[in-house]
Amino acid sequence: MGRVNALAPNDPNDPPSGHGRPADADGPLAAFMALRTPEGTALLDELRSYDPAQELATATRLRRTHPAPLVSAALGQARLRQRAVAKFGAEDAYRMFFTPNGVEQATRTSVATHRARRFVAAGGVRSVADLCCGIGGDAIALARAGISVLAVDRDPLTAEVARANAAALGLDGLIEVRCADVTEIDTSPYDAVFVDPARRGGRGRIFDPEAYSPPLSWATGAALGAPRAALKIAPGIPHEAIPARAEAEWISDGGDVKEAVLWFGEGFAPGSYRATVLPADATLWSAAPLPAPPVGPVGRYLYEPDGAVIRAHLVADIVARCDGRLIDETIAYVTSDEPYDSPYTAGYEITDRLPFSMKRLKALLRERKVGVLTVKKRGSAVEPEELRRRMKLQGPNSATVFLTRVAGAPTMLIGHPVTGRPTPPKMP
């Protein structure tokens, strides 16, 4: 879920959890509370389908009958709701409330639901302390799974938004929101802990786990102190930074790697690696790091492993499953001579293999009347848009070109997607 700095210095003007209002009546918290009045609710309902391109005209019209600050807040919230549809779906997004950071950093519903199901599957999890809860997306998924949640965030506005979202979705009976420093929360009464440290600062993404807020070391300590725990981290975390007592899971949704999660406690497997692919809900799992896969010549088929599989270092599992090999020891492209259908890969039938040459590629595409070209690359410095521009594509046909290395040599592989893939049984 979207998070704010959980360890920000205390502001003496901050209201206590769930009570009071900031001294500045025109501040963001006051503006948000105005949206929850009957007038604000009606205004948001009216703006559900508004066109952002017509915002000036819409604002001018609404200010004739509503206070300007309320109109401004409602228009901003309407924009955020439209953006949130991609993560939460229209039914929830248009009932919920958001902050700009909340939309940007929010866990999409499919991923939060998967995580909640894993807590349930672990057994005995009836309550969870959600530390750094953001606007409440993970708390919502946990509550919908039947789990009682304490949702904690340091920022008063963010906590109020989380509280409003629990109420809007009819889950306030299962979600208690508390505005507090997460490091001061006693989590001992809860069956499990979920921690989502802030991984963004004033200059953008934070790559050093000890610069998270709270730091990874603190979050790990909190996780180890609970019967069961999940710790959300950036998917690019080095494997050597993963605690030995954690099960590490990388999750992708729709082909994009969304996050990594470290699982601790009963029901999870320390030292193991897992790649979960949504919406197929398919999982690869290994109890320990896999040996390096073999390398060999390009066969008839090329397989592009899902990013979660690559991040989890489970490409060797794909190689074994398709009786294949890597095209280069440093490139995560798998090749084989037989078709292999799986939610863990995108498959392509290769028709041509050429040494890298813009001139030769242009001639081949012209000969085959290719007007639509998909460019994929690994191990190449060529920019796809620049390549398409130089090809001057024309024609009714389509093709895919891979700019990569084969046995260390810059190479172009041309082919087309192979469709149709049954879902294999889930791994442990």
Side-chain angles (χ1 to χ4, degrees), residues 131-426:
L131 307 181
C132 311
C133 70
I135 61 172
D138 286 286
I140 289 166
L142 290 165
R144 282 176 167 168
I147 296 172
S148 176
V149 185
L150 170 67
V152 184
D153 203 285
R154 174 64 183 84
D155 178 66
L157 173 60
T158 304
E160 196 63 49
V161 170
R163 189 175 291 111
N165 286 336
L169 298 180
L171 298 169
D172 43 343
L174 283 170
I175 300 174
E176 174 196 348
V177 179
R178 191 178 301 174
C179 184
D181 186 328
V182 297
T183 64
E184 299 174 357
I185 297 298
D186 177 12
T187 61
S188 60
Y190 298 89
D191 299 322
V193 167
F194 172 58
V195 190
D196 183 359
R199 295 176 301 280
R200 289 178 181 270
R203 297 183 178 179
R205 291 185 183 273
I206 298 172
F207 297 98
D208 177 7
E210 284 307 297
Y212 292 172
S213 182
L216 180 61
S217 56
W218 181 91
T220 300
L224 290 171
R228 299 174 183 83
L231 170 56
K232 180 178 171 181
I233 55 176
I237 186 171
H239 279 223
E240 57 269 21
I242 296 172
R245 293 170 64 181
E247 173 189 308
E249 179 181 25
W250 283 261
I251 304 170
S252 71
D253 190 14
D256 295 326
V257 181
K258 297 303 180 183
E259 64 180 59
V261 184
L262 303 182
W263 296 93
F264 300 84
E266 186 178 349
F268 306 109
S272 66
Y273 299 86
R274 182 182 293 260
T276 296
V277 178
L278 302 175
D281 198 24
T283 297
L284 285 181
W285 179 85
S286 175
L290 299 175
V295 179
V298 177
R300 180 176 178 181
Y301 297 97
L302 188 75
Y303 300 104
E304 182 180 27
D306 184 270
V309 174
I310 296 173
R311 295 282 194 181
H313 293 185
L314 294 177
V315 173
D317 190 309
I318 299 297
V319 171
R321 286 167 179 261
C322 71
D323 192 21
R325 55 210 173 261
L326 296 181
I327 64 171
D328 185 281
E329 64 179 0
T330 64
I331 303 294
Y333 282 140
V334 179
T335 188
S336 75
D337 303 307
E338 301 295 332
Y340 167 67
D341 294 328
S342 160
Y344 309 120
T345 64
Y348 299 83
E349 185 172 6
I350 299 302
T351 57
D352 300 271
R353 171 184 170 179
L354 304 170
F356 180 79
S357 167
M358 289 281 198
K359 183 176 181 180
R360 291 185 66 179
L361 179 61
K362 185 176 181 179
L364 184 147
L365 296 177
R366 182 186 299 117
E367 175 187 337
R368 299 194 180 164
K369 299 180 180 179
V370 172
V372 178
L373 183 67
T374 299
V375 182
K376 293 179 172 288
K377 67 168 194 170
R378 282 184 184 158
S380 172
V382 177
E383 291 300 326
E385 289 305 320
E386 172 63 13
L387 183 141
R388 289 192 193 91
R389 185 186 66 79
R390 293 179 62 176
M391 292 300 101
K392 302 186 184 302
L393 300 167
Q394 289 185 344
N397 299 322
S398 62
T400 299
V401 60
F402 295 86
L403 307 177
T404 187
R405 293 193 304 271
V406 174
T411 303
M412 301 182 300
L413 303 175
I414 297 92
H416 55 82
V418 176
T419 58
R421 53 183 63 172
T423 300
K426 294 183 68 175

